[in-house]
C-alpha cells in the first residue's frame, strides 16, 4: 500500500543540516556553519550531549539573527525528533550541536531516522573535544587506542575504563579517559575521583595497569582560552588544583622522544619521564 | 652566562596562536579563529600537512583582511620556525593550519620550541578530518582502536595497517585507515590500491584480517558538501567509483544495531551486515 504519507515523504524537498558549534562558546562555530544557520527556516539547538562552559544562547541567537528553539533530550529520544522532521519535510532545518555533531551517537540515530523519511541530511563539522584533548596533550594521535569514559562511582564501576587501559597498554597504545558529566545538573567527576576509581580496581586486580607511579596527563578545559595541561605521576596529581571542569585524564604508554619533550615543556612533567622513551 | 638574547627571550611579550582552518575550504575557520587572525601582527598559513581541496588563499586573505605568508615545510623542519619566532618574540603571530592544528605532530614540536623561547602559545581548534570521518561512517567513536595510514606501495608495505587492523580486531575494535597523500604533488592512494595492499598481505599471512568478504566503509571527501559514504564487502567496493579524493577506509568489527542501521540507511550497506550485530 502506498499512502499519501509515503508520497509526501518521497517527495520531501526539505533537509536537516547538523552544524557543529565547536568548543567553549558561540564563537566556535565555523563561517560555513553560521551561514547554514542564517539561511535555515528553523534553527534548533541542543545542549544535552555536551557542555559548552562559556556559551551564551543570547549571543548565539544574535549571531544567527533569529530565535533558536532549544531541543530537549526527550524531543529526540521519546518524540523521535518529530519537531525537527515536521519542518524538515519541506524546509531547511539546522540543528546546532556542541563540538563535532556526529561524535554523539544520538545524532547518527537522528540522521538515520531523517534518511528513512527521505529527508536529506548534511553535516557541517566543528572542532571536537576529543581531537582537541589529544592534540593539547602533546601525545601523537596515532598512538591512541580506544577512548573510554570514567563513570560516576555511584552509577557503574570503573571496570570498563580499567580494562580498556589494560588492553591499550598491551598494544603499546595511549588511553584517553573522558570524565563523566551529568549535563543537566552540571555535575562533573573530578580528576581525583577518576584516579581513585581506577586505583580502587587496581587494588583488587593487581595487574599494574594504573598505580601511584603511573604517568598520567590531565587536560582541563580543552578548547577554552585557559586550557590547562599537567603531566605527572598519579600520586602527585592528587595534589594539583585543576580549576574548573571539564577534565580528562590520559594514560600514556611508551613515549616518542618528541612526546616526552612536549610533556616536559608544555605540561611541566618531571624529567624522569624520559625513562619511558621507547 | 646570561646574555641579552636570554633576557629578550625571557621577557617575550609575544605569542603564537595556532588556528585550525577546519575542513574543505576557507569557511571552515571558526569565528574565534578568524578574530584571532584579524588581530595578529603577522599571519602565516601552512598547507603541507594536509590538503583542503576547495581552499582559496585569495578568499582566505580577503576574510583575514591582510596578506598571508605561506609557510613551507622547510621553514619549520630546516629553519626551525625562525620566521614565526622572530615576530612572535614581541608580537602576535597566527599560524593557520588545515583541520585541527595539533593533530599534525609537527605543530606540537613547534609549540614545544615556542615554549622553550618563552613565547606563549594558544590553540583555536578546528574541525578535524578524523572526527568527521568517524562520525560520517555511522560507527560509534568509542569502538575505534588505533588509527593508521595505508602508505603508497612504493614507499613501505601495508604491514603496519594490516597489523593494526588485526590488533584492533582482537579487541573487538573498529579501525580507521587513512589513505596516504603526497601533499606537494597532490598524489593520492586510491581505495582500490589501499584495499589491494591489504589483500596482498592477507595472501601471505592468511590470518583472516581483511579478505574479499570483509565489511568495509569508504568515506570520501569528509567535511565537504559532497561527502560520500559507502559500506559494502571488500569484493564489491572494487567496482565503486568514489569520485575525487581524499579517501579513507574503515574496517568495522562487531556492530551495535544502531551502527548496522546507520550503515544500511546512510551508506547503502547490504542487509546481510545484520549478521555482524553483536
Amino acid at each position: 500500500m502506498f499512502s499519501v504519507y509515503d508520497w509526501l515523504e518521497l517527495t520531501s524537498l526539505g533537509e536537516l543540516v547538523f552544524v557543529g558549534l565547536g568548543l567553549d562558546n558561540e564563537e566556535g562555530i565555523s563561517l560555513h556553519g553560521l551561514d547554514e544557520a542564517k539561511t535555515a527556516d528553523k534553527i534548533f539547538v541542543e545542549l544535552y550531549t555536551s557542555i559548552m562552559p562559556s556559551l551564551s544562547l543570547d549571543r548565539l541567537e544574535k549571531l544567527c539573527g533569529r530565535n533558536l528553539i532549544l531541543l530537549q533530550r526527550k524531543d529526540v529520544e521519546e518524540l523521535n525528533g518529530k519537531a525537527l522532521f515536521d519542518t524538515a519535510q519541506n524546509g531547511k532545518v539546522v540543528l546546532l550541536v556542541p563540538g563535532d555533531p556526529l561524535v554523539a551517537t544520538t545524532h547518527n540515530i537522528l540522521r538515520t531516522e531523517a534518511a528513512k523519511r527521505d529527508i536529506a541530511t548534511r553535516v557541517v563539522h566543528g572542532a571536537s573535544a576529543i581531537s582537541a584533548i589529544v592534540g593539547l596533550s602533546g601525545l601523537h594521535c596515532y598512538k591512541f587506542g580506544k577512548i573510554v569514559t570514567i563513570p560516576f562511582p555511584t552509577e557503574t564501576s570503573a571496570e570498563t575504563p580499567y580494562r580498556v587501559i589494560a588492553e591499550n597498554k598491551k598494544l603499546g597504545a595511549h588511553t584517553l579517559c573522558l570524565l563523566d558529566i551529568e549535563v543537566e545538573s552540571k555535575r562533573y567527576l573530578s580528576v581525583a575521583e577518576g584516579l581513585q576509581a581506577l586505583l580502587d580496581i587496581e587494588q583488587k586486580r593487581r595487574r599494574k595497569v594504573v598505580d601511584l607511579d603511573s604517568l598520567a596527563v590531565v587536560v582541563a578545559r580543552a578548547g577554552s582560552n585557559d586550557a590547562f595541561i599537567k603531566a605527572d605521576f598519579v600520586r602527585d596529581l592528587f595534589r594539583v588544583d585543576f580549576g574548573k571542569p571539564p577534565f580528562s585524564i590520559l594514560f600514556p604508554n611508551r613515549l616518542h622522544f618528541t612526546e616526552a619533550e612536549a610533556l616536559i615543556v608544555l605540561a611541566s612533567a618531571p624529567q624522569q619521564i624520559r625513562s619511558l622513551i621507547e
Side-chain angles (χ1 to χ4, degrees), chain A:
Chain A
M1 284 299 291
F2 197 76
S3 71
V4 172
Y5 184 66
D6 289 331
W7 181 81
L8 275 173
E9 287 200 337
L10 286 172
T11 57
S12 164
L13 296 169
E15 60 174 348
L16 171 57
V17 186
F18 295 86
V19 172
L21 288 170
L23 302 172
D24 197 41
N25 69 24
E26 61 283 351
E27 303 224 312
I29 196 172
S30 68
L31 304 187
H32 181 186
L34 185 59
D35 203 52
E36 295 284 357
K38 284 180 175 170
T39 57
D41 294 305
K42 272 191 188 168
I43 312 176
F44 293 82
V45 59
E46 72 82 1
L47 299 171
Y48 58 81
T49 58
S50 185
I51 287 181
M52 294 181 70
S54 310
L55 182 76
S56 151
L57 273 183
D58 276 356
R59 287 195 303 258
L60 185 58
E61 279 197 335
K62 263 181 209 139
L63 283 173
C64 296
R66 97 185 55 181
N67 284 347
L68 305 179
I69 308 162
L70 191 63
L71 203 68
Q72 307 294 338
R73 188 186 289 273
K74 69 166 169 34
D75 294 327
V76 174
E77 294 183 359
E78 291 165 32
L79 303 175
N80 205 9
K82 187 174 183 309
L84 296 168
F85 297 148
D86 280 354
T87 304
Q89 286 289 349
N90 303 294
K92 175 175 172 178
V93 170
V94 159
L95 174 57
L96 302 173
V97 178
D100 195 7
L102 301 183
V103 169
T105 307
T106 180
H107 295 310
N108 254 326
I109 297 174
L110 207 51
R111 195 166 141 246
T112 308
E113 288 301 316
K116 283 186 190 168
R117 287 165 172 75
D118 200 41
I119 294 166
T121 62
R122 282 186 296 123
V123 185
V124 181
H125 297 276
S128 136
I130 292 172
S131 163
I133 292 165
V134 167
L136 288 170
S137 75
L139 300 170
H140 296 180
C141 78
Y142 281 87
K143 294 177 68 180
F144 279 81
K146 264 192 191 171
I147 295 166
V148 73
T149 295
I150 304 180
F152 289 108
T154 45
E155 280 155 32
T156 46
S157 81
E159 289 282 355
T160 301
Y162 185 89
R163 179 179 49 75
V164 169
I165 299 168
E167 287 172 351
N168 285 341
K169 200 171 176 176
K170 214 180 277 177
L171 298 180
H174 308 325
T175 307
L176 163 56
C177 299
L178 301 167
L179 299 200
D180 213 357
I181 304 176
E182 213 176 75
V183 179
E184 280 86 356
S185 63
K186 299 205 174 175
R187 195 174 141 233
Y188 288 85
L189 196 73
S190 74
V191 172
E193 287 170 319
L195 292 172
Q196 193 57 54
L198 295 170
L199 291 176
D200 288 348
I201 309 229
E202 178 66 44
Q203 193 82 348
K204 287 188 270 175
R205 296 271 174 288
R206 305 229 172 248
R207 288 174 55 198
K208 285 200 162 287
V209 171
V210 174
D211 60 25
L212 290 171
D213 299 320
S214 302
L215 174 65
V217 187
V218 173
V219 178
R221 299 176 298 287
S224 81
N225 262 339
D226 69 334
F228 179 73
I229 308 119
K230 171 68 186 164
D232 212 332
F233 300 109
V234 166
R235 67 171 75 252
D236 296 313
L237 286 172
F238 278 99
R239 287 187 295 238
V240 181
D241 177 6
F242 298 102
K244 281 190 274 183
F247 307 115
S248 54
I249 310 175
L250 301 88
F251 293 96
N253 219 290
R254 308 295 294 174
L255 298 170
H256 187 263
F257 76 94
T258 57
E259 293 182 308
E261 188 78 0
L263 292 182
I264 291 168
V265 174
L266 301 167
S268 35
Q271 292 284 347
Q272 299 101 287
I273 69 159
R274 292 193 193 277
S275 65
L276 296 170
I277 294 174
E278 61 191 351

